Amino acid sequence: MLDNLREGCQVIARDFTYLYLNDAAAEQGRRAKEDLLGQKMTVAYPGIDRTPFWPVLLRAMEGTAHEWLENLFTYPDGVTAWFELRFVPIPEGVFILSLDTTSRKEAEASRVFLAAAMDQSAEAVYITDPKGQIKYVNPAFERITGYTRAEALGKNTRILKSGDHGPLFYETMWLTLGEGKVWRGRMINRRKDGTKYPQDGSISPVHDLKGELVSYVAVTRDLSSELKLETHLQQVQRLESIGRLAGGIAHDFNNLLFVIQSYSDVLLEALPKGSQEHKDVEEIYDAGKRAVALVRQLLAFSRKQVMQPVPLDLNGTVQGMETLLGRVIGEDVILTVALAPDLGVTLADPSQLEQVVMNLAVNARDAMPKGGELLISTANVEIDENYAEQHLTVVPGDYVMLSVADTGTGMDEQTKARLFEPFYTTKPAGVGTGLGLATVYGIVKQSGGNIWVYSELGKGTTFKIYLPRIEQNAHARVPERISSPRARPGESVLVVEDEPAVRTIAGRILKQAGYEVYSAA
């Protein structure tokens, strides 16, 4: 009867020789029965007395109780196999029953590996029965949906429905699954807290060996961060395109304004003061000045404005403006300044940074028509790889942060998406130019920094500006103003300009200053 068992059976005598083996035991040992019968175990398998097998065999040989061992056996060729061994003391010695559990061990290891992979997956994985009742969820499902495993198990997947999809959407999905196919697509789901989120994923039907449907497996990925980055990339690309357009227009317009103002200057010198003609030309000149200011803002947005960066202490810039800011925002807005005592140094143009602070303060004031609070603060910030991955165009490193926060009306998502576009404004017609925040954006970008806005309707707005920190002491220098001396005898100037009108008036002004002028296109 033992000869026909699939389990290995062997009897070991008290002198450790093989008294009996069935075919299964010989096969497990990869030796012929004739080679083993009457052979001592230590001779047949050298080193076996140094394995975990040996002390268990000794206990069974000397005692009366059954012994059990799960053993990893290594064959001479290096191949390993797991065996479950039971040692039964008998008068002749020990009877050993052995079962090869290698396949079961491998299956268990595979299940453990699969479970670990599902538990550590960044994608949400959940399994349901054919009726949609949840039987398993992984940690990513808990993190994304807000439902704990205990809350989700036994519930129907309807707890995730957002209501954003019509009947046709689900009919198409179930038709695909009903045909035994995998459904793939994008949908909007609802978290436990009620917020909605976009997800991309697949649902696969699972059948047993008889072909019966036993479950569904869903693997989904939260697209919230990805779509936010995609939206931000589109905004950045749009601003870059607008910036190139604005820069080109501003350059050409600047040339025209230079000609208008220069000829106005010439006429003002020639016309008698107090005359109607003089007053008319003054109006032209003043209109030109206002247009020049607009062009400078466009140039700032397109990052083509001439900058004079110096090592700058932002604390000093804010402190120097505190009195002026108090007058600008009015008495019904409480101004609080919180400056980091150990603030680092950045490289920026002082006058342009003052323009940034002023524009943001004026915007904050306009968002608080009934009064409120304005907080201007500074801090040292270290941006890591994780933050940089979530914010396009940001480079990890050390930064100086300037924050301007108000308790005003706040903004919706549509307004935030167009916030830095030139001439975009939510103010009434005739109030402002719509270039304030565009100018801020351009100055920050040209200074090598980044600007982010956080806002909700009714909850105020916070602008955070990050400028690269440098390892220098802050000694802000004020550029010296260079006067325009008249030419000394014999001095000449070469004027190279592709715009004929600009070339002509520039040459004329220099000739009036006494220079010998050479012009080239």
Side-chain angles (χ1 to χ4, degrees):
M1 189 172 70
L2 294 180
D3 284 343
N4 289 285
L5 286 180
R6 293 171 58 187
E7 291 80 6
C9 300
Q10 51 188 304
V11 176
I12 309 300
R14 295 192 174 277
D15 62 354
F16 302 106
T17 58
Y18 285 98
L19 288 182
Y20 168 81
L21 296 99
N22 68 354
D23 291 337
E27 185 179 335
Q28 289 172 357
R30 293 190 180 180
R31 299 284 293 274
K33 285 195 289 186
E34 294 75 16
D35 294 341
L36 294 174
L37 289 173
Q39 185 86 269
K40 283 188 178 293
M41 296 187 78
T42 51
V43 175
Y45 295 102
I48 195 172
D49 55 347
R50 296 189 296 275
T51 67
F53 171 91
W54 197 254
V56 180
L57 176 63
L58 290 179
R59 286 200 303 272
M61 195 75 74
E62 297 168 359
T64 56
H66 292 199
E67 297 283 346
W68 178 88
L69 174 68
E70 191 174 45
N71 186 47
L72 179 64
F73 185 77
T74 303
Y75 293 101
D77 60 3
V79 175
T80 58
W82 282 97
F83 290 98
E84 193 175 283
L85 306 170
R86 190 162 302 278
F87 300 77
V88 183
I90 58 175
E92 292 83 358
V94 175
F95 173 80
I96 302 175
L97 183 69
S98 57
L99 176 65
D100 188 340
T101 58
T102 305
S103 297
R104 190 181 73 195
K105 277 284 186 180
E106 288 175 350
E108 287 175 0
S110 179
R111 281 196 295 272
V112 170
F113 176 79
L114 181 60
M118 292 176 71
D119 280 350
Q120 296 174 41
S121 171
E123 283 75 29
V125 180
Y126 51 104
I127 301 173
T128 74
D129 65 13
K131 295 182 179 179
Q133 192 176 41
I134 299 173
K135 298 298 183 183
Y136 166 85
V137 299
N138 71 341
F141 174 93
E142 297 178 285
R143 186 186 71 252
I144 292 170
T145 67
Y147 288 100
T148 65
R149 184 170 297 185
E151 291 171 329
L153 294 182
K155 299 289 194 306
N156 193 281
T157 52
R158 284 191 293 271
I159 61 174
L160 303 175
K161 286 183 72 171
S162 63
D164 284 18
H165 303 289
L168 183 60
F169 177 87
Y170 293 105
E171 284 175 16
T172 304
M173 182 177 72
W174 285 113
L175 182 63
T176 302
L177 294 172
E179 294 174 351
K181 299 176 183 176
V182 177
W183 178 88
R184 292 183 178 85
R186 182 173 293 187
M187 67 168 66
I188 305 297
N189 271 359
R190 188 189 299 274
R191 296 185 177 90
K192 181 184 175 182
D193 62 9
T195 59
K196 298 177 182 179
Y197 67 97
Q199 70 169 34
D200 207 355
S202 63
I203 303 174
S204 305
V206 180
H207 299 87
D208 61 15
L209 296 176
K210 297 177 182 178
E212 298 289 332
L213 177 69
V214 292
S215 61
Y216 292 105
V217 178
V219 181
T220 64
R221 182 164 57 98
D222 184 358
L223 297 175
S224 302
S225 299
E226 190 175 311
L227 292 180
K228 192 178 293 182
L229 282 175
E230 191 176 298
T231 301
H232 182 234
L233 175 60
Q234 292 170 352
Q235 291 173 359
V236 169
Q237 289 173 334
R238 186 170 68 249
L239 289 174
E240 290 292 333
S241 300
I242 295 171
R244 284 193 293 272
L245 176 63
I249 293 172
H251 173 75
D252 292 339
F253 194 42
N254 212 30
N255 282 338
L256 297 174
L257 289 173
F258 177 76
V259 174
I260 292 169
Q261 288 210 289
S262 298
Y263 277 109
S264 297
D265 261 334
V266 171
L267 287 171
L268 287 173
E269 289 289 329
L271 292 169
K273 289 185 179 179
S275 67
Q276 185 59 48
E277 291 80 3
H278 193 281
K279 290 178 182 176
D280 291 343
V281 175
E282 277 186 332
E283 287 294 332
I284 295 171
Y285 184 82
D286 289 341
K289 280 174 64 177
R290 291 194 295 273
V292 167
L294 286 174
V295 169
R296 281 181 183 154
Q297 287 180 297
L298 279 174
L299 286 170
F301 171 72
S302 61
R303 300 174 229 171
K304 292 182 179 179
Q305 192 173 17
V306 177
M307 297 185 71
Q308 294 174 321
V310 296
L312 184 68
D313 176 13
L314 268 178
N315 283 352
T317 301
V318 175
Q319 286 171 333
M321 298 180 67
E322 200 167 343
T323 303
L324 176 60
L325 288 172
R327 290 200 297 267
V328 169
I329 63 176
E331 294 180 355
D332 52 354
V333 175
I334 300 170
L335 174 63
T336 304
V337 176
L339 306 177
D342 58 342
L343 191 68
V345 178
T346 188
L347 196 65
D349 186 314
S351 62
Q352 293 203 3
L353 257 294
E354 288 174 358
Q355 189 179 356
V356 166
V357 175
M358 183 60 69
N359 282 355
L360 291 178
V362 169
N363 250 50
R365 177 203 64 193
D366 293 343
M368 299 183 285
K370 297 181 180 179
E373 297 179 30
L374 175 62
L375 171 63
I376 300 178
S377 59
T378 59
N380 291 318
V381 174
E382 183 181 347
I383 291 180
D384 58 18
E385 293 281 354
N386 185 50
Y387 182 91
E389 286 176 4
Q390 301 299 317
H391 296 78
L392 292 175
T393 73
V394 173
V395 178
D398 296 327
Y399 288 80
V400 175
M401 185 194 73
L402 170 68
S403 173
V404 179
D406 65 60
T407 57
T409 54
M411 294 176 282
D412 57 23
E413 291 299 325
Q414 289 75 18
T415 302
K416 282 196 290 184
R418 301 189 60 192
L419 195 60
F420 298 116
E421 291 182 16
F423 304 114
Y424 175 76
T425 180
T426 57
K427 296 174 184 176
V431 180
T433 61
L435 282 172
L437 289 176
T439 303
V440 168
Y441 179 87
I443 291 172
V444 171
K445 287 293 183 181
Q446 198 170 1
S447 302
N450 293 283
I451 181 169
W452 301 99
V453 59
Y454 307 86
S455 185
E456 290 183 49
L457 283 174
K459 296 185 179 180
T461 300
T462 298
F463 285 91
K464 289 188 176 181
I465 294 168
Y466 300 91
L467 298 171
R469 203 156 75 221
I470 60 171
E471 296 299 324
Q472 288 190 43
N473 292 323
H475 297 296
R477 299 186 300 276
V478 179
E480 294 181 8
R481 290 192 175 274
I482 301 171
S483 60
S484 303
R486 295 187 66 81
R488 291 191 292 272
E491 288 188 331
S492 59
V493 173
L494 171 63
V495 177
V496 183
E497 168 61 45
D498 60 343
E499 185 66 39
V502 175
R503 186 169 66 249
T504 300
I505 189 62
R508 182 170 171 178
I509 292 169
L510 289 166
K511 281 179 183 177
Q512 288 177 347
Y515 290 96
E516 186 175 355
V517 177
Y518 299 93
S519 298

